[in-house]
Amino acid sequence: MKQLTVIVLILAILTACSTSATSSSYPSAFAWNDAIYGISAEEVPESEIGRKLGEIRHIVRPKPRKNGDSNEKTGSIYEILGSDHNEVLAIHYKDTFYKASKNGPLI
């Protein structure tokens, strides 16, 4: 019985100390134009959507590694009118446009 308790305790400690990234531990993002864009829950009205820039077609975990990859959503990428398209974009996913902000370079 003591051995079982010790084994369970060791497994619990090792599981709690795990440092590997999971899809839920990395924020929703996509890679575009050699940068990572974080996808927010903020919706963008269709009246503020500009020209289509391209497509996000591949889902990869835990984080995007190359242009066109996402860890959660696939869809079309658009400019947001009145915004710098190098800093803020919109992704069209399931009939809704979501705001995405540049987080930094694609590494």
Side-chain angles (χ1 to χ4, degrees), residues 12-56:
I13 291 170
L14 291 175
T15 303
C17 295
S18 175
T19 59
S20 65
T22 63
S23 61
S24 63
S25 67
Y26 194 85
S28 181
F30 63 84
W32 190 256
N33 233 13
D34 297 321
I36 295 286
Y37 287 81
I39 304 170
S40 73
E42 182 180 345
E43 295 182 16
V44 180
E46 193 167 350
S47 61
E48 294 179 20
I49 298 300
R51 70 184 173 100
K52 182 178 176 179
L53 301 175
E55 297 279 332
I56 300 298

Side-chain angles (χ1 to χ4, degrees), residues 38-92:
I39 304 170
S40 73
E42 182 180 345
E43 295 182 16
V44 180
E46 193 167 350
S47 61
E48 294 179 20
I49 298 300
R51 70 184 173 100
K52 182 178 176 179
L53 301 175
E55 297 279 332
I56 300 298
R57 298 177 187 215
H58 303 104
I59 300 288
V60 295
R61 307 273 188 215
K63 67 178 191 170
R65 302 236 182 250
K66 62 183 182 177
N67 291 324
D69 287 352
S70 173
N71 65 344
E72 191 173 309
K73 295 176 171 64
T74 58
S76 299
I77 303 300
Y78 292 85
E79 292 178 330
I80 297 176
L81 298 175
S83 297
D84 180 356
H85 70 273
N86 291 312
E87 296 297 322
V88 180
L89 297 172
I91 184 167
H92 189 229

